[in-house]
Amino acid sequence: MHGALTEPDLKRQTILRQARRRFTSEGFAGAKMEAVARDAGISTATLYAMFAGKSDLFAAVIDDAACEFTAQMLRVFSEERPARDQLTDFAAGYARFMADPFVRSVFRLVMAERPRFRDVAVKFFEKGKSEFGAYVINVIRDMCDRGELRVEHPSWAAGQLFGMIEHPVFFMPLVTGDEVMPVRAADQIAADAVETFMARYGVVRR
């Protein structure tokens, strides 16, 4: 079947999925290469043949997560639909991604071990900015061209939408060590953010 993953690709995806689960639940220091290999159903030697060490595996997991999220979000905007519908789907997906414990673990590892993971983190964030953030800005411009939004600075508007989602689902748990979690569900936070965004920038049709 066209587009089907090859056996090496499937093996790699299995490894990355199991490694992500280990890193999320046990942290970088606690996760063991032997455990990842066992979870993925391969030998430790095979794992080391594909990834030189745990840092390389972690970097691959981060890159895979970024690619997965970007692809998911681009699909949200693949069809032209009313602005509110598209923005709501985007915001819900973004809220779920930013609420993922793995994403917080990436930030915490970077803060704790900046020299080791600085390049990995910069690549992660630059990928999101260049491949996703810029795309959302262009989508907002298109919505303005269609007369659905009235936005003077699309990049500012996009940043405001991101911020309304990131603060409760990501930054609050991050800085409190997950001791303070949002009361609202991620989808409700997303819906409230879009409501506020549309109240500020939406064009009322008469």
Side-chain angles (χ1 to χ4, degrees), residues 32-80:
K32 305 301 181 185
M33 293 289 276
E34 295 79 5
V36 172
R38 183 173 63 251
D39 293 344
I42 60 173
S43 68
T44 304
T46 297
L47 181 59
Y48 276 106
M50 298 178 68
F51 302 96
K54 188 160 62 169
S55 293
D56 289 334
L57 177 59
F58 185 74
V61 168
I62 291 176
D63 188 58
D64 181 69
C67 289
E68 175 188 314
F69 174 68
T70 300
Q72 174 189 342
M73 290 296 95
L74 293 184
R75 285 195 294 272
V76 168
F77 296 121
S78 62
E79 298 179 3
E80 186 175 308

Side-chain angles (χ1 to χ4, degrees), residues 107-141:
F107 277 77
R108 287 184 178 126
L109 282 167
V110 170
M111 290 188 293
E113 303 186 56
R114 274 186 299 178
R116 182 190 302 183
F117 293 112
R118 182 183 180 281
D119 290 344
V120 172
V122 168
K123 181 180 178 182
F124 180 75
F125 299 126
E126 285 301 317
K127 184 178 184 67
K129 183 186 299 182
S130 63
E131 295 187 9
F132 177 61
Y135 188 85
V136 173
I137 291 170
N138 287 332
V139 167
I140 290 175
R141 288 196 181 103

